[in-house]
């Protein structure tokens, strides 16, 4: 099933891992042929999905429902391209029309609620509630609709599934298939952005709201937040082309002393707008004094936690860079998803900001590790820059952020290592990394001397004087190292066949159980450990107490 889901939902990108899971045949050969067709660039995917989202509506449906009748009714407003149902405080249908005009046609016939107790704000969104005019009639016709899951299975259920695999590599692909965003979930994420965009456009008609971060960088897991940003760039680019004729023409615009202040003002107003008029937008928090000002809110109709900021070019470049890495080789995503899950289980990462390693930093550590393989599995950022052409040129704030966007220009890796080897070597590599002396530089794919004393130093690939893991403190880094060593030890020493026979968790599954609970060999190994490792382990135990958390550090 795992492979099947990947094939259905994410064409191209995931066929290779799915093929590895099953036996080879004609069907797989055909899939392989499709893998070789050109992979879309990041911008192509974004543009396509944003445009789809503008033709999409979300309907809260009656609990008993005749799917065929609903679709038939909606089709009277235009052709439906795709649809699915999901559960989120009641059944919802996402309907993607072929034409944007169908949305307007539907909006024309939708009424405004006659609220007796509440007064409604008459903002007409693309969120509707359908109820049956005659709810008791013809219930026999109503069959349960297929509900598309929007969250992943709990870790304990995952561990059961991992038992049935025949290698660590296939365990990692099972995890990937269970956790990755589905086609449906991606559509819902883009719809959430598009609905926020409707508000932004009430003030700034040329603006767009686009997702970034893990919703689009290929490393998103079901349930992760939607990072979105308000973009005015498209409008500015258009204006630059219009400089013809005898006059220098410009708009009269409000001038503010800094870009930051402008960002804060725009976000503040849009935050208020969502708060006051946005259907289902709740728990709005304006965090305008953070390094990167943002508005946090929960979007109830789609069920997402959202972070809205104003165009942050560097973050978008980071998303595209990770998209490229995640799309180049199927092992990359399988390794990242497994390690993100491992880190979460052992409390190395946390959804609350703090002194923990972030998912973003952890992903960069995996990328660095893959650059260091021999032969490398992914290219360095400098190598990607060499392949860039004129249209890939991006200078942001004086930094050259150019790299190739066309994936077909990047030579596939000659590295054939299995994920079994890569997982074990990741733990070995970082379990023994000289963090006191060295930093991780993804631009060069090299360890370099640390420029300052932060415990963990990962160069921001685009703003070379910044450390993306500045928030990580020494005890957290030591905990990471201790867990990595322990994991390497488990993978190397476990008697896999015996554990399989005994129906005990093995391989990746053994790493996804908190070590104190699972590891019968722990005492034996501790004897051989240096005092430093024991101290790290003790620190990590102390740190699992939430009251010890240091002051939260924002993004
Ligand atoms: P999850 O939400 O944990 O799944 O991962 P994410 O990659 O979306 O991380 P997060 O929501 O924390 O941040 C969203 C994006 O902001 C990231 O993908 C990065 O592009 C960017 N970002 C986050 N933290 C940092 C940081 O410390 N430095 C820089 N330069 N960018 C960051
Ligand atoms: Mg995120």
């Amino acid at each position: 099933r795992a492979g099947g889901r990947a094939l259905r939902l994410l064409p191209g990108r995931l066929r290779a891992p799915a093929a590895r899971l099953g036996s080879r045949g004609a069907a797989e050969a055909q899939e392989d042929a499709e893998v070789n067709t050109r992979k879309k660039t990041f911008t192509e995917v974004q543009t396509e999905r944003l445009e789809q989202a503008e033709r999409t509506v979300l309907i809260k449906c009656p609990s008993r429902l005749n799917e065929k009748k609903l679709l038939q009714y909606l089709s009277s407003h235009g052709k439906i391209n795709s649809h699915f149902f999901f559960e989120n405080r009641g059944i919802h249908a996402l309907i993607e029309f072929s034409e944007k005009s169908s949305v307007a046609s539907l909006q024309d016939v939708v009424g405004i609620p006659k609220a007796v107790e509440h007064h409604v704000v008459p903002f007409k969104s693309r969120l509707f509630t359908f109820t049956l005019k005659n709810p008791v009639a013809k219930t026999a016709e109503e069959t349960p609709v297929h509900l598309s899951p929007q969250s992943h299975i709990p870790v304990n259920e995952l561990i059961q599934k991992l038992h049935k695999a025949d290698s660590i590599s296939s365990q990692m692909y099972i995890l990937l298939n269970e956790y990755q965003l589905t086609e449906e979930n991606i559509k819902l994420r883009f719809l959430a952005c598009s609905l926020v965009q409707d508000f932004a456009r009430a003030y700034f008609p040329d603006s767009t709201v686009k997702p970034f971060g893990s919703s689009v960088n290929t490393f998103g897991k079901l349930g992760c937040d939607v990072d979105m940003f308000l973009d005015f760039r498209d409008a500015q680019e258009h204006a630059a082309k219009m400089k013809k004729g005898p006059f220098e023409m410009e708009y009269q615009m409000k001038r503010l002393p800094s870009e930051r202040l402008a960002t804060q003002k725009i976000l503040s107003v849009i935050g208020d707008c969502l708060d006051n008029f946005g259907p289902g937008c709740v728990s709005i928090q304006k965090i305008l004094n953070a390094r990167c000002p943002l508005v946090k809110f929960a979007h109830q109709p789609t069920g997402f936690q959202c972070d809205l900021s104003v165009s942050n070019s560097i973050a978008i470049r980071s998303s595209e860079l990770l998209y490229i890495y995640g799309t180049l080789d199927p092992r990359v995503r399988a390794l990242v998803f497994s390690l993100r899950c491992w880190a979460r289980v052992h409390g190395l990462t946390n959804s609350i900001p703090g002194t923990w390693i972030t998912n973003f930093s952890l992903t960069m550590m995996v990328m660095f590790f893959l650059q260091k393989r021999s032969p490398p599995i992914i290219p360095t950022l400098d190598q990607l820059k060499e392949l860039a052409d004129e249209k890939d040129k991006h200078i942001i704030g004086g930094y050259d952020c150019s790299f190739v966007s066309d994936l077909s220009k990047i030579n596939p890796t000659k590295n054939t290592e299995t994920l079994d080897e890569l997982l074990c070597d990741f733990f070995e590599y970082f379990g023994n990394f000289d963090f006191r002396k060295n930093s991780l530089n993804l631009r060069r794919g090299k360890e370099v001397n640390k420029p300052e004393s932060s415990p963990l130093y990962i160069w921001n690939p685009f703003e070379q004087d910044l450390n993306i893991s500045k928030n990580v403190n020494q005890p957290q880094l030591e905990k990471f190292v201790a867990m990595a060593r322990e994991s390497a030890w488990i993978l190397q020493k476990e008697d896999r066949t015996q554990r399989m026979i005994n129906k005990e968790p093995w391989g990746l599954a053994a790493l996804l159980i908190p070590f104190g609970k699972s590891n019968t060999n722990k005492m034996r190994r501790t004897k051989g450990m240096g005092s430093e490792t024991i101290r790290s382990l003790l620190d990590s135990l102390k740190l699992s107490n939430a009251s010890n958390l240091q002051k939260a550090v924002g993004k």
Side-chain angles (χ1 to χ4, degrees):
R1 196 203 130 219
R5 184 161 123 191
L7 290 182
R8 186 166 53 81
L9 299 173
L10 291 167
R13 196 147 53 80
L14 279 163
R15 303 217 166 188
R20 281 170 192 228
L21 281 176
S23 57
R24 298 199 58 80
E28 276 91 348
Q30 195 193 341
E31 281 154 19
D32 285 354
E34 283 183 51
V35 176
N36 296 331
T37 59
R38 193 181 66 81
K39 289 167 183 162
K40 287 179 183 157
T41 67
F42 180 76
T43 313
E44 283 168 348
V45 176
Q46 291 272 91
T47 312
E48 190 180 313
R49 296 237 179 239
L50 286 166
E51 195 269 326
Q52 279 174 354
E54 288 190 29
R55 300 184 257 114
T56 300
V57 301
L58 193 63
I59 301 171
K60 183 165 188 188
C61 301
S63 54
R64 297 198 61 89
L65 175 72
N66 182 325
E67 180 174 353
K68 206 167 147 206
K69 278 204 172 144
L70 176 76
L71 295 178
Q72 239 169 20
Y73 172 72
L74 290 168
S75 297
S76 66
H77 296 279
K79 186 169 169 274
I80 296 171
N81 255 9
S82 72
H83 77 282
F84 67 88
F85 294 92
F86 65 100
E87 161 68 40
N88 173 31
R89 306 162 178 231
I91 295 177
H92 285 70
L94 180 145
I95 309 286
E96 183 196 310
F97 286 104
S98 297
E99 304 288 335
K100 213 173 154 182
S101 57
S102 307
V103 176
S105 162
L106 178 60
Q107 279 173 321
D108 265 354
V109 297
V110 174
I112 287 174
K114 291 179 213 63
V116 186
E117 288 163 27
H118 303 107
H119 188 79
V120 295
V121 175
F123 176 80
K124 292 178 176 174
S125 71
R126 283 177 282 144
L127 300 165
F128 312 118
T129 304
F130 281 21
T131 40
L132 289 170
K133 284 183 183 160
N134 188 1
V136 281
K138 293 185 187 166
T139 44
E141 273 181 36
E142 289 146 12
T143 46
V145 288
H146 169 75
L147 297 173
S148 154
Q150 304 303 323
S151 56
H152 61 75
I153 54 170
V155 179
N156 54 349
E157 251 175 68
L158 174 75
I159 288 172
Q160 299 297 320
K161 289 199 176 208
L162 297 185
H163 195 78
K164 297 183 187 103
D166 57 7
S167 66
I168 294 181
S169 174
S170 43
Q171 287 186 322
M172 290 166 79
Y173 283 124
I174 290 172
L175 183 145
L176 174 65
N177 280 296
E178 290 295 337
Y179 276 30
Q180 70 186 341
L181 302 183
T182 58
E183 171 70 15
E184 288 87 351
N185 193 265
I186 295 173
K187 278 189 192 287
L188 208 49
R189 283 167 187 270
F190 275 84
L191 176 63
C193 293
S194 181
L195 293 170
V196 173
Q197 177 176 281
D198 288 347
F199 280 98
R201 285 192 177 172
Y203 289 97
F204 307 105
D206 296 324
S207 62
T208 27
V209 174
K210 299 177 182 171
F212 70 105
S214 60
S215 296
V216 293
N217 69 14
T218 75
F219 297 110
K221 158 181 110 158
L222 285 172
C224 72
D225 65 350
V226 182
D227 303 291
M228 49 176 88
F229 68 93
L230 187 57
D231 195 16
F232 303 101
R233 253 189 328 169
D234 296 349
Q236 283 160 8
E237 275 162 21
H238 176 69
K241 286 183 204 145
M242 305 295 279
K243 283 187 180 160
K244 274 190 188 160
F247 299 108
E248 202 56 68
M249 300 184 296
E250 60 181 26
Y251 286 101
Q252 293 185 11
M253 283 179 166
K254 182 136 195 134
R255 285 161 201 259
L256 295 167
S258 71
E259 189 184 346
R260 182 175 167 83
L261 190 61
T263 297
Q264 288 168 331
K265 282 183 184 288
I266 292 168
L267 280 179
S268 176
V269 167
I270 293 182
D272 283 341
C273 199
L274 292 172
D275 196 6
N276 290 312
F277 312 137
C281 293
V282 297
S283 312
I284 314 256
Q285 270 179 283
K286 295 184 194 175
I287 309 173
L288 302 179
N289 286 324
R291 190 173 67 82
C292 178
L294 80 158
V295 173
K296 271 186 178 293
F297 63 97
H299 191 252
Q300 285 180 332
T302 53
F304 292 124
Q305 179 60 45
C306 304
D307 280 3
L308 173 70
S309 50
V310 168
S311 184
N312 175 346
S313 312
I314 299 274
I316 303 154
R317 294 305 281 160
S318 304
S319 300
E320 177 160 1
L321 178 67
L322 288 178
Y323 171 86
I324 288 179
Y325 284 148
T327 311
L328 275 179
D329 188 287
R331 289 169 292 181
V332 178
R333 296 176 66 240
L335 189 59
V336 169
F337 273 76
S338 301
L339 287 166
R340 279 189 175 202
C341 185
W342 166 83
R344 190 72 183 86
V345 164
H346 297 292
L348 299 169
T349 52
N350 199 304
S351 53
I352 310 161
T355 54
W356 298 274
I357 295 173
T358 61
N359 271 334
F360 181 61
S361 293
L362 179 62
T363 308
M364 288 301 190
M365 289 173 89
V366 183
M367 296 307 123
F368 183 76
F369 166 76
L370 295 172
Q371 289 176 338
K372 297 273 300 175
R373 303 309 293 169
S374 177
I377 294 183
I378 55 169
T380 67
L381 185 48
D382 274 343
Q383 287 163 342
L384 292 177
K385 187 175 140 193
E386 274 166 33
L387 297 171
D389 59 25
E390 205 43 44
K391 71 171 175 4
D392 296 327
K393 246 200 163 107
H394 281 85
I395 312 288
I396 304 168
Y399 294 101
D400 191 347
C401 303
S402 313
F403 57 84
V404 65
S405 56
D406 179 353
L407 286 142
S408 65
K409 287 192 187 165
I410 307 167
N411 284 334
T413 174
K414 294 206 165 55
N415 182 305
T416 56
E417 287 172 293
T418 64
L419 278 166
D420 299 49
E421 294 167 89
L422 292 172
L423 184 68
C424 192
D425 283 5
F426 175 91
F427 294 131
E428 278 253 311
Y429 181 73
F430 283 114
N432 296 303
F433 191 92
D434 190 353
F435 287 106
R436 262 170 308 187
K437 184 166 154 261
N438 286 330
S439 62
L440 284 65
N441 186 319
L442 283 102
R443 186 161 273 286
R444 291 163 57 193
K446 275 204 176 95
E447 295 154 22
V448 292
N449 280 341
K450 269 203 308 203
E452 44 102 342
S453 62
S454 297
L456 174 62
Y457 198 107
I458 306 171
W459 297 75
N460 180 322
F462 301 112
E463 292 165 285
Q464 278 286 303
D465 39 1
L466 294 179
N467 171 13
I468 63 162
S469 50
K470 206 178 170 58
N471 63 311
V472 178
N473 66 9
Q474 190 63 30
Q476 281 301 322
L477 178 65
E478 284 175 10
K479 182 174 170 181
F480 174 84
V481 170
M483 295 295 169
R485 285 183 190 169
E486 175 126 8
S487 301
W489 194 91
I490 291 174
L491 290 180
Q492 282 161 12
K493 298 285 186 266
E494 74 174 355
D495 182 347
R496 204 157 297 163
T497 321
Q498 195 54 51
R499 293 186 80 94
M500 281 177 179
I501 294 166
N502 295 351
K503 297 209 180 311
E504 285 171 337
W506 59 273
L508 179 60
L511 303 183
L512 297 183
I513 297 169
F515 291 150
K517 289 186 192 164
S518 72
N519 204 339
T520 47
N521 296 318
K522 191 162 181 158
M523 290 316 291
R524 187 152 51 97
R525 187 178 58 271
T526 309
K527 269 188 210 162
M529 274 182 173
S531 60
E532 197 180 322
T533 314
I534 292 169
R535 204 172 332 113
S536 312
L537 280 166
L538 288 173
D539 272 340
S540 74
L541 287 173
K542 270 189 247 151
L543 267 152
S544 48
N545 179 347
S547 64
N548 276 351
L549 296 180
Q550 302 211 344
K551 192 170 166 267
V553 179
K555 285 183 205 169

